[in-house]
């Protein structure tokens, strides 16, 4: 890993759907540096989001570069082609230097029987008693088990290999960071399953610098973690131990780290992440930290006047089209329709009432997770407003930026990276 782009130890995946908040987001990373920890930004925006908004990855690049120049940021920063595959990658080739290889569709698709047999034969160390340092209990496996795991994941890893080689062909080796996403599967990988996946990735010669496994619990968009925190803690630390072992055993990049596809705002597990990373001296990529689009709405509502009117209009439209907006995100939202206020009620709200319902402050009785999740998936409404929404952001830049920066630094960077 001496040559080529290298992802630093701590990185923060941030979305900027309307390409107006890169400076405000970067300001939070500057504050982290002032507090004594380097956290580098990775701006991520998926093909789906670009398609819904009608934007291009090149616009994200322009905004990120301008922010870096304005704040005189001299540390690394990256643009993530979020969840790409061979069908969607081309538009991201020029502007992006970080690629999340999404192989979800291939997980569970049986690999060629000869490939599976060859993999099992190549890795006798995975059969029998498998001891991973820093995990107390050795694992017992047999040929049937390793074959079954390879059958579930090998085709997906081979697919990642195809995407990776295509990127090398188009961009050149060492010119981008590769992440493999394995979080969209039915159940969390055990340490041995993760080890098998990492062995397969090493066989494919993909120099991944981050991997996103599946964890227990629900990672709904923009709201807190729902699940057993103790179980998450065990899985997270076991994964850290497995990665450290696999790096040495299979020659994977020594800076390989976990990526937590959080869906943002998983406050309950931030202490576990901080403590685990500290214990292992490991890095972490906290992906989708802080829902910037919701902070824009909070800023507009806080500003009052036209800003508040637009925030209310976005909710009314989202409420009217809830089914259509929620459908693509059905697996990562839990909205109770009975808890959604009627638009007529919201139209009578003050700035404080709107922001109290939307801002993720669990100590505030007015906070409404269903209201928040509907607005989270409602960015399409703002996209349809076009210039009117963007001009409102620009007119209220100061209050919006303050909310974006404060949210990222206080609620995400401090607990995850500083342990505060």
């Amino acid at each position: 890993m001496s040559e080529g782009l290298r992802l630093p130890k701590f990185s923060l995946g941030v979305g900027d759907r309307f390409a107006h908040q890169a400076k405000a987001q970067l300001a939070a990373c500057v504050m982290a540096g002032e507090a004594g920890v380097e956290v580098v930004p990775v701006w991520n925006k998926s093909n789906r989001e670009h398609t819904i908004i009608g934007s291009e990855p090149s616009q994200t690049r322009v905004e990120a570069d301008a922010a870096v120049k304005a704040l005189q940021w001299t540390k690394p920063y990256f643009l993530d082609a979020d969840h790409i595959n061979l069908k969607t990658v081309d538009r991201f080739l020029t502007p992006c230097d970080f690629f999340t290889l999404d192989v979800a569709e291939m997980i569970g698709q049986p690999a060629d029987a000869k490939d599976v047999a060859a993999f099992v034969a190549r890795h006798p160390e995975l059969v029998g008693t498998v001891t991973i340092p820093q995990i107390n209990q050795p694992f017992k496996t047999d040929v049937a088990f390793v074959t079954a795991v390879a059958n579930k994941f090998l085709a997906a890893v081979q697919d990642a290999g195809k995407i990776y080689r295509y990127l090398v062909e188009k961009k050149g080796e060492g010119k981008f960071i590769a992440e493999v996403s394995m979080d969209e599967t039915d159940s969390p990988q055990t340490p041995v399953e993760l080890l098998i996946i990492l062995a397969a990735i090493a066989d494919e010669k993909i120099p991944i610098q981050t991997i996103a496994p599946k964890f227990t619990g629900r990672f709904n968009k923009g709201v807190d973690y729902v699940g057993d925190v103790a179980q998450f803690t065990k899985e997270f630390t076991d994964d850290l131990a497995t990665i450290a072992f696999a790096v040495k055993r299979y020659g994977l990049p020594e800076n390989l780290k976990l990526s937590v596809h959080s869906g943002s705002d998983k406050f309950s597990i931030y202490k576990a992440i901080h403590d685990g990373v500290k214990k292992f001296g490991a890095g972490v990529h906290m992906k989708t930290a802080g829902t910037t689009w919701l902070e824009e709405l909070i800023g507009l509502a806080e500003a009052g006047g036209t800003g508040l009117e637009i925030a209310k209009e976005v909710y009314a439209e989202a409420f009217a089209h809830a089914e259509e907006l929620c459908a693509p995100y059905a697996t990562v939202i839990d909205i109770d329709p009975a808890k959604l206020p009627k638009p007529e009620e919201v139209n009578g709200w003050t700035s404080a009432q709107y922001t109290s319902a939307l801002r993720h402050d669990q100590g505030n009785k007015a906070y409404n997770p269903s209201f928040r999740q509907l607005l989270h998936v409602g960015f399409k409404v703002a996209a349809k407003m076009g210039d009117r929404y963007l001009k409102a952001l620009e007119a209220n830049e100061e209050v919006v930026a303050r909310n974006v920066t404060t949210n990222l630094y206080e609620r995400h960077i401090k607990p995850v990276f500083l342990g505060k």
Side-chain angles (χ1 to χ4, degrees), residues 20 30 57 87 91 110 149 186 207 247 294 306 330 365:
H20 271 61
V30 170
K87 291 179 214 145
R91 72 196 297 204
V149 177
D186 48 2
V247 163
L294 292 182
T306 308
K365 286 179 184 171

Side-chain angles (χ1 to χ4, degrees), residues 34-46:
E34 289 164 354
V37 63
E38 180 180 308
V39 180
V40 304
V42 179
W43 279 280
N44 50 256
K45 190 166 171 184
S46 68

Side-chain angles (χ1 to χ4, degrees), residues 233 236-237 240 270-282:
T233 304
F236 186 77
T237 51
L240 289 172
Y270 283 178
K271 184 179 189 306
I273 292 170
H274 175 266
D275 291 352
V277 162
K278 191 175 178 185
K279 176 185 170 185
F280 281 84

Side-chain angles (χ1 to χ4, degrees), residues 151-200:
N151 246 323
K152 183 172 182 179
F153 293 106
L154 192 58
V157 173
Q158 289 172 334
D159 195 42
K162 284 178 197 158
I163 305 168
Y164 173 74
R165 287 186 287 277
Y166 182 77
L167 287 166
V168 169
E169 181 194 322
K170 296 293 181 184
K171 286 189 76 72
E173 205 165 348
K175 298 289 175 65
F176 59 94
I177 310 288
E179 168 173 307
V180 169
S181 161
M182 286 283 179
D183 60 322
E184 294 189 22
T185 182
D186 48 2
S187 54
Q189 296 91 5
T190 64
V192 172
E193 287 174 328
L194 182 59
L195 188 62
I196 292 168
I197 289 166
L198 290 168

Side-chain angles (χ1 to χ4, degrees), residues 23-25 27-28 31 400-410:
K23 269 196 296 190
Q25 292 166 327
M31 289 165 76
V400 170
R402 185 177 69 245
N403 278 286
V404 171
T405 303
T406 301
N407 172 57
L408 262 185
Y409 183 68
E410 294 292 336

